[in-house]
Amino acid sequence: MRFDEETMSTASHQPCLGSPTETVAAPSTPGEQEQIMAVADTLVLGYGLHPAEITRIPEGTATDNYAIVDQTGRRYFVKVYRTRSSLDLELASVELSEYAADGGVATARATRTREHELIATHGRLPISLWSYVPHTETAEGTLTGARWAAVGAAMGRLHSRLATHPAAAPTLEPGAAVCDVATARSRFDRLILAYQHRPRLGEFETWALRAARERHAVLGDVERILASLPPLTVQVMHGDLAGPNVLLKNDDVAAIVDFGPPTPDYLAWEIMRLGCDPKSFQSNGVERWLKGYTDLALAYQDANPTAPADDLLSSLRVGCAAMLCSTFPLSAPVERPHLVDAALESYARARHEAALTLLEQLPALEAALYDTLH
């Protein structure tokens, strides 16, 4: 939606319905238009920013997201928080992003309100306002060539910075605790039973049931994988470091976005989660993916030299086990049907294929990684 400056006041913004300058960039519901007007109110009152255009961005599972253009043509990104009940965690997430940025990590920067707050909470809707990172694409399915090393270096710098976060110092924890196989087995049992009790299964549900059975059948292999792991580093992490949250500009990382609150987790898992982006794994093929992953690991090691070598060397094993233990997104049709669309179905198939391929070829892949890092 576009706004004429003369139709806006610091108190409210009524759409000038007959104005030729007002356009709707995408179909919107009455509730969405009301949300857009609430966003416009908060931008003016909370930030002193007069929007000329507000456009809904369809991505976003926990927030409603908008692209903003102000009256000077400058662009921003807005997150609208759907509930106020977890704003303390949302604020901690923004603060973690800012902590990373203050340490030289490439991120989008949050804009503070007139009252110097990172989240505007006094309007009808709580929002955060972010710098816009132009001319980028995400790392989901696009990791090739020099991008592997660029992503590895950016992740190494991020982890090096977050190792100094005051919430928790890095510690060594048993690698076997990366996943709970007994709990995973119970979840797969329940999921398989839920699908079996359905009177009719669609194409994706039929595939998801078959995939759940395949995963259930290899959980014994996962137990053996976990039992062989050494102690591994646990420290404050990004929290959701997957392909969609890494923005690339050509062969460089322009920004890492969408941090979670500062929660300690296994370093090896976050390395593998990004390094084994399922769509990049699928599009590269095993040999090219392994070359890319070793490039990522070498660049990571250079950028974060204090990280124990075991974290990198064990990352394939950790990632393989964690993916095989996870019921999502196979469980989405049962537990979160509103998330099921063509993109999620494609991701589910790619992730399942990647996990089983890693399991099958794990000894050879680990040997190649070990040779490279030594």
Side-chain angles (χ1 to χ4, degrees):
M1 179 178 292
R2 291 186 180 175
F3 297 85
D4 276 324
E5 191 168 11
E6 60 268 23
T7 68
M8 301 168 61
S9 71
T10 56
S12 65
H13 313 287
Q14 299 299 325
C16 184
L17 297 178
S19 169
T21 62
E22 183 193 5
T23 64
V24 177
S28 58
T29 64
E32 183 178 309
Q33 290 197 26
E34 183 180 350
Q35 187 178 73
I36 288 174
M37 303 312 292
V39 169
D41 277 335
T42 302
L43 289 174
V44 174
L45 292 171
Y47 295 90
L49 186 155
H50 292 263
E53 185 174 353
I54 301 178
T55 306
R56 177 71 178 266
I57 300 172
E59 291 83 2
T61 56
T63 58
D64 295 320
N65 301 329
Y66 291 90
I68 310 296
V69 181
D70 71 9
Q71 298 288 343
T72 69
R74 189 172 180 180
R75 304 176 76 180
Y76 301 85
F77 177 83
V78 161
K79 288 185 180 184
V80 178
Y81 301 101
R82 295 171 185 163
T83 174
R84 293 178 182 268
S85 62
S86 59
L87 281 184
D88 55 340
L89 294 177
E90 300 291 359
L91 177 58
S93 300
V94 181
E95 290 173 339
L96 186 62
S97 177
E98 291 294 285
Y99 184 84
D102 290 342
V105 178
T107 72
R109 296 301 302 243
T111 300
R112 292 183 179 268
T113 68
R114 286 170 159 173
E115 297 178 352
H116 210 59
E117 297 173 330
L118 287 169
I119 295 180
T121 59
H122 300 301
R124 285 182 283 168
L125 294 172
I127 72 170
S128 57
L129 180 66
W130 300 81
S131 59
Y132 182 79
V133 185
H135 312 303
T136 62
E137 61 179 337
T138 74
E140 186 177 26
T142 64
L143 292 179
T144 58
R147 289 182 169 188
W148 289 103
V151 166
M155 184 164 41
R157 287 191 291 271
L158 171 66
H159 287 166
S160 178
R161 171 62 172 170
L162 296 186
T164 67
H165 194 278
T171 60
L172 287 177
E173 302 291 343
V178 165
C179 4
D180 184 338
V181 178
T183 299
R185 187 174 279 114
S186 296
R187 286 175 178 167
F188 277 112
D189 284 337
R190 291 194 298 271
L191 180 60
I192 291 167
L193 193 62
Y195 277 127
Q196 289 174 335
H197 283 174
R198 290 197 165 192
R200 184 180 306 166
L201 297 179
E203 179 184 354
F204 178 66
E205 293 169 319
T206 300
W207 174 86
L209 172 57
R210 184 172 67 252
R213 286 171 170 158
E214 291 174 347
R215 297 266 268 277
H216 188 280
V218 300
L219 289 178
D221 295 324
V222 173
E223 286 178 317
R224 288 187 286 275
I225 288 172
L226 293 173
S228 67
L229 285 170
L232 298 171
T233 303
V234 170
Q235 67 162 68
V236 171
M237 310 293 284
H238 174 280
D240 192 16
L241 194 56
N245 291 333
V246 177
L247 304 183
L248 300 169
K249 186 173 183 179
N250 300 321
D251 287 337
D252 295 320
V253 174
I256 297 172
V257 299
D258 281 349
F259 284 67
T263 305
D265 206 342
Y266 284 90
L267 205 66
W269 164 234
E270 191 153 274
I271 294 168
M272 181 56 174
R273 188 181 180 199
L274 181 55
C276 193
D277 166 59
K279 291 186 177 180
S280 294
F281 184 92
Q282 191 176 55
S283 63
N284 278 281
V286 176
E287 288 188 10
R288 280 193 301 165
W289 170 81
L290 179 59
K291 171 62 168 62
Y293 192 81
T294 54
D295 289 346
L296 178 151
L298 285 169
Y300 180 96
Q301 195 174 50
D302 288 342
N304 189 15
T306 61
D310 277 344
D311 294 309
L312 281 169
L313 293 171
S314 300
S315 60
L316 295 178
R317 193 166 291 248
V318 166
C320 178
M323 285 196 290
L324 289 170
C325 281
S326 173
T327 57
F328 185 81
L330 305 181
S331 60
V334 173
E335 298 174 357
R336 304 166 74 182
H338 62 287
L339 294 181
V340 179
D341 57 15
L344 182 133
E345 292 181 15
S346 174
Y347 173 76
R349 294 175 190 272
R351 193 169 195 251
H352 182 63
E353 178 185 340
L356 292 183
T357 302
L358 282 169
L359 177 63
E360 179 184 354
Q361 302 195 28
L362 191 59
L365 296 175
E366 285 191 317
L369 181 62
Y370 180 88
D371 289 344
T372 299
L373 294 179
H374 285 78

